[in-house]
Amino acid sequence: MPSIETSGAVPAAKTPAWTRVLAGYRKPDTRRSVFEIAVTVVPFALLWALAALAFVNGHYWGLVLTIPAAGLLVRLFMLQHDCGHGALFARRGANDWTGRVLGVFTLTPYDYWRRTHAVHHATTGNLDQRGIGDIDTLTVGEYRALSRWGRLRYRLYRHPVVMFGIGPAWLFVCQYRLPVGLMRGGIQPWTSTLATNLGIAVIAASLIWAVGLVPFLAVQLPITLMAATLGVWLFYVQHQFEETHWSESEDWNFQHAALHGSSHYDLPAVLRWFTGNIGIHHVHHLSSTVPFYRLPQVLDDHPELRDMGRLTLMESLRCVKLVLWDEKAKRLVSFREAAAA
């Protein structure tokens, strides 16, 4: 693999070795991490309880509380995500056990997810190593080589209704109940998945006993579905944008792929809080052990990173149509653009 100090077409002498630059931001602050967990878990539990109490007493308008609760569930996932990178606490055990507990609430088996996500980080932007921990993306040539049925399946998979509606629900509610993709990966993925399922069953049974089946479903289902959709959308726009970077293994470079294959999703302040600054994704890929609450500091200290792969909220909506990698143009294109070419 090329040296991490090089960066594609940019001469190494003009390109800082960002992994070394970011080393000073990696140390987590235990008190800050505990605080971030508390200000997410406590409001989430209160909103859930208030929404359920309102529903039980016939005040169905109380279900509007599921909207901020879904945002907090997304934030819980981002905390779990930092645990998976060993970024929330200095001790691995503290990260792992915090992540496992949070995984029960996010419906995501921690150890299983962490392994697939590590593959994603190690292969982002590598055309020869697609398929694990990322969104399936075909090249124009691969798409044209498919049968009519194969093209139809890919079009359905990339349709917004499936990608951001059916797909997220299937992923978090069904697919994560088994270690799909790591069925033969040893006992750990199975242990992680089954233990998470048991934890989910215990909490769900307790809540159903407390409030009843219908109120439980009326509150939990919209929270889960909204959070799942938001989570998939965030993951999508972090890598599926027009100026993203892909290359074959022989030309692939870690630093270049991180900087140019991941976006800076520049969200409004409130959304940055709910999403745990994950929009600063290019910096996260440069050094995944930087705690999420230190990512804005990196941009403040190194403003040259601010405009790399920058996407605003409105600009990101146009990314939905980008579905194929054009090998010649070196960018993502829509089905219409691919047909015209």
Side-chain angles (χ1 to χ4, degrees), residues 21-87:
V21 172
L22 299 179
Y25 300 88
R26 292 175 184 166
K27 187 177 180 181
D29 181 334
T30 300
R31 287 181 296 181
R32 174 69 183 273
S33 297
V34 170
F35 171 78
E36 296 291 351
I37 293 172
V39 298
T40 308
V41 171
V42 174
F44 174 76
L46 287 175
L47 287 173
W48 202 103
L50 288 172
L53 184 63
F55 187 90
V56 168
N57 287 281
H59 304 302
Y60 302 126
W61 57 264
L63 292 178
V64 74
L65 296 176
T66 61
I67 297 174
L72 289 167
L73 186 57
V74 171
R75 199 169 198 267
L76 284 176
F77 185 89
M78 297 311 165
L79 293 170
Q80 177 186 346
H81 168 266
D82 257 30
C83 289
H85 287 293

Side-chain angles (χ1 to χ4, degrees), residues 31 47 59 91 119 169 186 216 236 308 324 335:
R31 287 181 296 181
L47 287 173
H59 304 302
R91 297 179 59 184
V119 174
F216 170 79
Y236 181 92
M308 288 188 174
L324 294 167
F335 286 120

Side-chain angles (χ1 to χ4, degrees), residues 288-310:
S288 61
T289 53
V290 174
F292 76 93
Y293 45 78
R294 290 207 168 127
L295 292 173
Q297 183 185 347
V298 174
L299 293 186
D300 290 340
D301 294 345
H302 304 281
E304 62 268 36
L305 292 172
R306 192 174 295 277
D307 291 329
M308 288 188 174
R310 183 177 177 271

